[in-house]
Amino acid sequence: MSQEWDAGRLDSDLEGVAFDTLAVRAGQHRTPEGEHGDPMFFTSSYVFRTAADAAARFAGEVPGNVYSRYTNPTVRAFEERIAALESAEQAVATATGMAAIMAVVMSLCSAGDHVLVSRSVFGSTISLFEKYFKRFGVEVDYVPLADLSGWDAAIKSNTKLLFVESPSNPLAELVDIAALAEIAHAKGAMLVVDNCFCTPALQQPLKMGADIVVHSATKFIDGQGRCMGGVVAGRSEQMKEIVGFLRTAGPTLSPFNAWIFLKGLETLNLRMKAHCANAQQLAEWLEQQDGIEKVHYAGLKSHPQHELAQRQQKGFGAVVSFEVKGGKEGAWRFIDATRLISITANLGDSKTTITHPSTTSHGRLAPQEREAAGIRDSLIRIAVGLEDVADLQADLARGLAAL
């Protein structure tokens, strides 16, 4: 152990540094051991100097750890790093991305409040709102993502939150975040943006006026499909409520998973650039192939929101969806013919994945709900990884040959 502990010298000075530096160093507070890497704190509880010290910490009168259900040094390092990357006052980590969404609504909404949700959100997000939040008296309505006038018209006097994914899963639809934030704020509502597909490397919604950002850290933040987690970022006023929810309900991120995510963040910007480059090449290639009826990717000039994506994102992301001839049967033949790409519904991995949304990620939705969200039986989603693009094209060519 260091005999001359000087946190001010051994911790990095991050004043004015760039994104990549924050992704590597933000949130680390070195212990008296003087470690260079991020430490893992595997402990359920913490000891106190005196009974009075314990009482003060439990009452929130003095800072310090109390119980790892809601405070842990490794998890806090991850939270501080995400807050720095998203330009947020504070971030709060959760056990999964769905737990992050649950924490936002349970913390900030009450029975009788109204929430507007974009139609094109993840299937489990719709299920959470429809099957559970509605049961406890939260009113929920859905609006087409890009329809700003529709959002404006749908806001009620009791509307508390507007919730969107931009880009959406799996069709890469976008909304003008700055314009939607203005609409929400003019009527006293908050805008929540699921930033999972872009990550802060490609998009920072808080800088565009959003109030809260949520992530499934399971995806690109981890980057290698190893573990699950989520995070919420925004103003300290709202995050204080979410910390209170975690303290009581306990959808807590484990220290080990937080450590994995810290390692993922160190290479986030590099990986997202590579993901985007591969996805762009594949989307352009797919658009030229017989058997492909339509390709959904904001990096294509044919995408109706290509210019908006250029304006509010630093890249177009890694998720490419496309519709094939032959409906569900054609889509399944295509998927089953691949031999390199992994058939799995997860995304954000260094390994490219392929899935059939209407029978997997959105399979629990009613047919009319899938139709409203644009999830057709002919749709296939690939989350483009970091393999050689020529190898990915060769594998997708196997799928095309099976149509």
Side-chain angles (χ1 to χ4, degrees), residues 81-95:
R81 192 168 296 179
I82 285 289
L85 296 179
E86 285 285 10
S87 296
E89 291 180 2
Q90 186 178 351
V92 181
T94 59

Side-chain angles (χ1 to χ4, degrees), residues 109-187:
C109 294
S110 302
D113 285 338
H114 179 235
V115 178
L116 285 175
V117 183
S118 59
R119 288 195 183 279
S120 49
V121 294
F122 180 47
S124 291
T125 302
I126 294 176
S127 296
L128 184 62
F129 279 97
E130 284 293 308
K131 294 182 179 180
Y132 300 102
F133 291 146
K134 279 188 174 181
R135 185 188 300 176
F136 293 96
V138 175
E139 300 175 23
V140 183
D141 287 309
Y142 299 89
V143 181
L145 177 60
D147 184 5
L148 293 175
S149 61
W151 285 101
D152 192 32
I155 295 176
K156 302 178 182 179
S157 59
N158 62 332
T159 301
K160 193 70 173 285
L161 299 176
L162 278 60
F163 184 95
V164 302
E165 288 178 10
S166 184
S168 69
N169 179 17
L171 297 178
E173 292 180 290
L174 286 79
V175 68
D176 186 326
I177 293 173
L180 187 57
E182 288 185 7
I183 291 170
H185 297 160
K187 296 190 176 181

Side-chain angles (χ1 to χ4, degrees), residues 226-280:
R226 295 168 291 192
C227 52
M228 305 185 79
V231 65
V232 185
R235 293 191 300 274
S236 296
E237 178 184 359
Q238 281 79 37
M239 296 307 105
K240 182 178 180 181
E241 296 297 322
I242 293 169
V243 169
F245 176 75
L246 258 71
R247 179 172 184 154
T248 304
T252 307
L253 180 65
S254 79
F256 179 78
N257 289 11
W259 185 85
I260 291 289
F261 297 148
L262 284 166
K263 298 298 103 181
L265 286 174
E266 292 181 1
T267 60
L268 177 64
N269 204 23
L270 290 170
R271 288 186 289 104
M272 294 309 295
K273 288 178 180 177
H275 280 297
C276 290
N278 281 0
Q280 185 73 37

